Amino acid sequence: GQNIDQPTEMTATEGAIVQINCTYQTSGFNGLFWYQQHAGEAPTFLSYNVLDGLEEKGRFSSFLSRSKGYSYLLLKELQMKDSASYLCAVDQAGTALIFGKGTTLSVSS
Amino acid sequence: GAGVSQSPRYKVAKRGQDVALRCDPISGHVSLFWYQQALGQGPEFLTYFQNEAQLDKSGLPSDRFFAERPEGSVSTLKIQRTQQEDSAVYLCASSLLAGGPGETQYFGPGTRLLVL
């Protein structure tokens, strides 16, 4: 079967750092995506990892360990506008994405 | 526009009605995907087109769901005889190439369907 797990909710304060974890068990693996989704809006692309290691992109970084079936999204210098749902998705076969349920992040002042 | 657009943004249907949801992908994008997102859940795959060919429809929940992309651009998702469990946000996404590792999918804002 296939399973993607991420925490349901997280809270943090402005200026802080937060790490959102994702573990996966899928029959195939062609990489892992992170998307951000504000309420009522389209998911927007944040990052893609296919090789082990850390990819840094401004305030956001994403890490992948294929051997452990594990990824995390790291958000630094949190801002109120970062309050959103963060979706972990596995590219299993080069076409459809398999999504986790999403982690709702609330940033407070 | 530069992004994926969907219409209508909101649709209320009575149980048993047929509905049609439209997706305009980014111009020139070969691949088009439909996903269903229930409240508080991640998107779930419904179907995939490469140009006008429907290559994967394994995620369609029943034969009441039908999708088409006759000219390889605009796509329509049709749901016949809607049921309350069909209430969800229907997301459309497109990607530039014909599938392959790392192809980023760009999502539209979705159609929120409520079946009463």
Side-chain angles (χ1 to χ4, degrees), chain A residues 30 33 35 37 39-45 48 50 87 91 93-102, chain B residues 9 33 35 37 40-45 48 56 91 99-109 112:
Chain A
N30 276 337
F33 288 85
Y35 281 83
Q37 186 177 29
E41 297 183 12
T44 55
F45 169 77
Y48 170 72
V50 66
L87 299 164
D91 180 348
T95 55
L97 297 177
I98 310 299
F99 282 87
K101 293 184 178 181
Chain B
R9 290 294 311 277
F33 304 82
Y35 292 85
Q37 187 173 25
Q41 304 293 313
E44 291 193 3
F45 170 75
Y48 161 62
D56 187 348
L91 293 167
E103 264 295 292
T104 300
Q105 295 184 21
Y106 297 91
F107 283 82
R112 187 176 299 274

Side-chain angles (χ1 to χ4, degrees), chain A residues 13-25:
Chain A
T13 54
E14 268 188 306
I17 299 173
V18 71
Q19 178 174 312
I20 303 174
N21 297 323
C22 172
T23 58
Y24 63 90
Q25 289 178 307

Side-chain angles (χ1 to χ4, degrees), chain B residues 65-85:
Chain B
F65 287 70
F66 171 77
E68 60 183 5
R69 193 187 185 198
E71 296 178 359
S73 54
V74 170
S75 177
T76 303
L77 176 67
K78 297 179 180 178
I79 309 174
Q80 297 177 324
R81 304 182 303 281
T82 52
Q83 303 294 315
Q84 287 185 322
E85 62 263 28

Side-chain angles (χ1 to χ4, degrees), chain B residues 13-79:
Chain B
K14 292 182 179 179
R15 190 160 53 95
Q17 272 186 327
D18 297 349
V19 297
L21 314 180
R22 177 187 169 106
C23 172
D24 283 82
I26 295 172
S27 178
H29 276 201
V30 168
S31 296
L32 185 144
F33 304 82
W34 283 98
Y35 292 85
Q36 181 190 61
Q37 187 173 25
L39 191 63
Q41 304 293 313
E44 291 193 3
F45 170 75
L46 293 177
T47 187
Y48 161 62
F49 289 86
Q50 187 180 116
N51 296 309
E52 69 278 4
Q54 188 175 22
L55 298 188
D56 187 348
K57 55 181 181 179
S58 62
L60 295 176
S62 77
D63 59 8
R64 296 186 296 104
F65 287 70
F66 171 77
E68 60 183 5
R69 193 187 185 198
E71 296 178 359
S73 54
V74 170
S75 177
T76 303
L77 176 67
K78 297 179 180 178
I79 309 174

